[in-house]
Amino acid sequence: MRVVTESSPNKERKTMDKVDILFEMGCLFYKDKDYVQAISVLSKVIELDPKHARFFDRRGLAYTKKEQYERAIDDFNTAISIDPDYTGAYCNRGMCYYHQEIFEKAIEDVNRAIDLLPEEPSFYSNRGLAYSYLGKHQEALADFNTAISLGQDDSFTFNNRGEENKALGNLTAAESDYTHALMCELFET
């Protein structure tokens, strides 16, 4: 028989409320680009509730912004160990590998994210960057095309596709992509 006291559910509720509030605070610090505070608050969240992949993923993103890639990778690894289907952690870890110029590992991680969520355009755009740095321009172009066909309409993606078209000698297509990228920049906030 399990004994439930009045304080048991309330204590759990207060802890969850505190965790939720702190997590939102950490996200706000992240959004405001105060990554040191975001890391601090998110570390407290993880201390209180270390069972949620998204907490580690968000702190990993803050470490990434601080260019502390090994710490970020550790957090993404933990997020994946908690939830092996957490697509964001694979893509984010892949971007850390990209920044460390470990492009093959970056591609592996983004491939896993694509396997789990093939309709996410940013995954293709990220993988395209890694292919580009490896000189695999056809693969990069195909990924930027896929990202655009899935609805990614931003200056970053069109500029990168323009670079791939240029590398492959498709100068008219490159010019068109650069023009579209400039138009996107005018309307992006």
Side-chain angles (χ1 to χ4, degrees), residues 44-187:
K44 181 65 175 172
V45 169
I46 289 167
E47 179 184 315
L48 293 170
D49 187 358
K51 297 176 189 159
H52 288 86
R54 70 185 177 126
F55 299 162
F56 287 95
D57 184 63
R58 184 55 58 117
R59 187 175 70 178
L61 286 171
Y63 280 132
T64 301
K65 292 292 189 178
K66 295 293 294 172
E67 298 181 6
Q68 295 179 16
Y69 300 120
E70 290 305 319
R71 285 183 156 180
I73 289 169
D74 287 344
D75 274 354
F76 299 134
N77 287 340
T78 302
I80 291 165
S81 72
I82 293 168
D83 181 356
D85 293 334
Y86 199 91
T87 57
Y90 287 103
C91 190
N92 295 332
R93 186 175 69 181
M95 290 314 294
C96 284
Y97 289 135
Y98 168 83
H99 288 296
Q100 293 177 314
E101 298 184 3
I102 308 170
F103 301 117
E104 293 294 342
K105 278 186 142 182
I107 290 168
E108 286 175 27
D109 272 354
V110 179
N111 284 343
R112 178 67 176 135
I114 290 170
D115 288 344
L116 292 167
L117 190 63
E119 66 276 6
E120 174 53 49
S122 66
F123 295 167
Y124 295 93
S125 192
N126 289 346
R127 187 174 66 182
L129 287 174
Y131 279 138
S132 180
Y133 276 92
L134 290 172
K136 297 181 176 184
H137 300 295
Q138 287 290 355
E139 291 90 337
L141 180 62
D143 273 349
F144 293 126
N145 285 336
T146 300
I148 291 165
S149 74
L150 290 172
Q152 190 140 346
D153 186 16
D154 58 47
S155 60
F156 177 80
T157 305
F158 276 91
N159 187 66
N160 285 321
R161 187 172 77 171
E163 289 295 312
E164 297 312 312
N165 275 315
K166 180 179 167 187
L168 293 167
N170 305 330
L171 300 182
T172 303
E175 182 180 352
S176 175
D177 284 338
Y178 293 141
T179 300
H180 191 91
L182 287 172
M183 294 302 294
C184 286
E185 276 188 31
L186 292 174
F187 297 102

